[in-house]
Amino acid sequence: MVETLVGRADFEKEIKKSRFLAMALPVETEEAAMAFIRDVSYPDATHNCWAWKIGSRYRSDDAGEPGGTAGRPILQVIEAQGLDKVVVVVTRWFGGVKLGAGGLVRAYGGTAAECLRLAERVEVIERTRLKFHCSFSDLALVGSRLPALDAVVESEEFDATGAAYVVAVPVQQVEDVTHRLADMTSGRIMATEKED
């Protein structure tokens, strides 16, 4: 089971006089991850190290710490905890005691791990997009039933005869949702998978 976070999570700890602050957020896109990194990075901090993972895409940055001692350990924690669609920033304010490479790996990885361990999580449900047209006569019925089908409305565009819908449904339920839409409208709605 793959999970993501429900919302933002923060965790702070002191390690040998250095202050470490981990901040994590669920994200859907690389742009959202990079925006969060920009928004929460402290200009007065010694380092703002980060990592994100969205599906098969991922990135990390040591932000001036020795190579492989900050960004990569944060990314490894995200993967080890079975998380996806997550960005984590760990900010460090240097306290005067050098930690060494192993100490940095433990500090950054450990702070990120504790932040993610304490965060509320939710299962990531892989979805497929369906498109269909709904006449005005079926609009109220279909609109009231979509939530029960676990169909998330991505777009609803009205025209002269009704509305064109794009909905995201769990992959395992595509066939069921397609049949139910057809059944409830006596075959007037024929939903098909939308090509990206």
Side-chain angles (χ1 to χ4, degrees):
M1 177 175 69
V2 178
E3 295 179 311
T4 192
L5 304 183
V6 170
R8 180 170 167 170
D10 293 20
F11 175 76
E12 187 174 337
K13 80 191 265 188
E14 189 175 301
I15 300 168
K16 294 188 178 175
K17 299 187 179 178
S18 281
R19 190 172 133 220
F20 288 84
L21 171 63
M23 299 156 284
L25 189 76
V27 288
E28 291 290 329
T29 64
E30 178 177 345
E31 294 75 24
M34 297 308 290
F36 179 72
I37 293 163
R38 279 191 305 276
D39 292 347
V40 302
S41 290
Y42 286 84
D44 68 327
T46 315
H47 302 280
N48 290 287
C49 305
W50 53 265
W52 58 259
K53 180 181 184 305
I54 302 167
S56 61
R57 299 186 323 276
Y58 58 89
R59 278 185 57 199
S60 64
D61 188 6
D62 295 314
E65 290 284 27
T69 62
R72 187 74 193 145
I74 297 168
L75 180 60
Q76 287 171 334
V77 164
I78 293 170
E79 292 172 333
Q81 292 195 22
L83 291 167
D84 191 15
K85 300 182 179 186
V86 171
V87 58
V88 179
V89 178
V90 180
T91 298
R92 177 189 186 195
W93 288 270
F94 183 60
V97 178
K98 293 194 175 197
L99 300 178
L104 289 172
V105 168
R106 286 188 297 278
Y108 281 102
T111 305
E114 195 60 26
C115 178
L116 294 174
R117 254 195 302 277
L118 296 171
E120 190 177 350
R121 300 171 179 216
V122 64
E123 184 179 355
V124 173
I125 297 172
E126 192 179 340
R127 292 181 176 267
T128 296
R129 299 162 81 212
L130 297 177
K131 63 179 180 176
F132 60 89
H133 190 274
C134 181
S135 67
F136 283 118
S137 62
D138 293 322
L139 212 50
L141 172 68
V142 171
S144 68
R145 297 276 175 87
L146 286 175
L149 298 173
D150 198 9
V152 178
V153 178
E154 289 189 352
S155 70
E156 178 183 42
E157 295 178 13
F158 290 93
D159 59 28
T161 60
Y165 277 92
V166 174
V167 297
V169 300
V171 170
Q172 315 85 291
Q173 294 172 230
V174 169
E175 197 173 315
D176 183 49
V177 171
T178 303
H179 288 306
R180 285 183 181 214
L181 286 169
D183 288 349
M184 76 175 79
T185 60
S186 300
R188 289 185 296 278
I189 290 182
M190 299 304 292
T192 57
E193 288 193 34
K194 185 177 187 321
E195 304 293 322
D196 283 331

